[in-house]
Amino acid sequence: MLESAKNSHQIANELRRSLTTNSHELYHAINSEDFYLLYQPIYSKQNNKVTGFEALLRWKHAQKGILMPSEFIPVAEDIGVMDILGAWVLRKACLDMVKLQKASQRSDIILNVNVSPVQFSDENMLINSLQDAVTESGIKPELICIEITESSEFMSTMQSALEKVKKLGCKIAIDDFGTGYSSIVKLTTLPIDLLKVDRSFVFMLDSPDPAKSKQALLIARSVYGLAQALDLDVITEGIETAEQLKIVTELSADLIQGFYFAKPMPETKMLNYLINSNV
């Protein structure tokens, strides 16, 4: 516990120092030495092509190497810098996506971006960040999908903010669906467009344990049925094996994401991958 606390404190100090040192870059610059984005494709089985990319944030730490969001986002939320970091992510991702759309002549590619519930604490700041990213990049708002992870705060305080996001024209997805606080009632009242099936369920679909695989199949079938009843799209993430893909395809899953198709890639490799991809 002591080591964990020390590590968290160290990350907090280094993150605060990094964001302070690079505040200008995080607000305005296209490149940052500390933070960068990777992109993982999202496929449509129905259309047999890549329909979008999810932007994934990474921190290139001088001593610790590459840090995943789970290692520093909670710290960023605690020390109150998610507005800075979140605005930079939105801006950079939109610029990268517009560049890809123009180079590939695919004006229909959708950009999925994760947004922390903390960013909704000041909904005007989030909306302004979105508007600035749209204005500067020239991306169509309807090609942006904001991903929100389920949380108690999400379920109780985000109605107004989500409605403003929708008013801009953006889509909204609930990430890691099935592991948080969602209820059917909330899904019918919030302006949601998509559900993302949590990878923990997908991982168990081809489990050697028959009981686990059966349970995962029942959960997946229930989520797809619920989404269909509520007229919501579903993205099945975490597909890593051919068997998992076969199972979800038989369940009529359309939008699919996972290592089976591609690992997250830098912006410089997106165009080549898009041209050569074949589901």
Side-chain angles (χ1 to χ4, degrees), residues 34-91:
D34 296 321
F35 297 96
Y36 65 97
L37 296 178
L38 297 177
Y39 296 89
Q40 188 171 37
I42 300 172
Y43 292 92
S44 169
K45 287 292 290 180
Q46 181 178 350
N47 297 323
N48 199 42
K49 66 179 183 180
V50 174
T51 60
F53 286 85
E54 179 183 357
L56 301 166
L57 180 63
R58 299 290 184 265
W59 182 10
K60 185 171 62 177
H61 192 283
Q63 285 78 42
K64 298 180 181 295
I66 306 302
L67 297 182
M68 304 295 285
S70 60
E71 299 176 87
F72 63 85
I73 291 297
V75 178
E77 293 172 339
D78 287 342
I79 65 177
V81 295
M82 273 310 302
D83 56 336
I84 301 174
L85 191 54
W88 178 83
V89 169
L90 283 169
R91 178 180 177 277

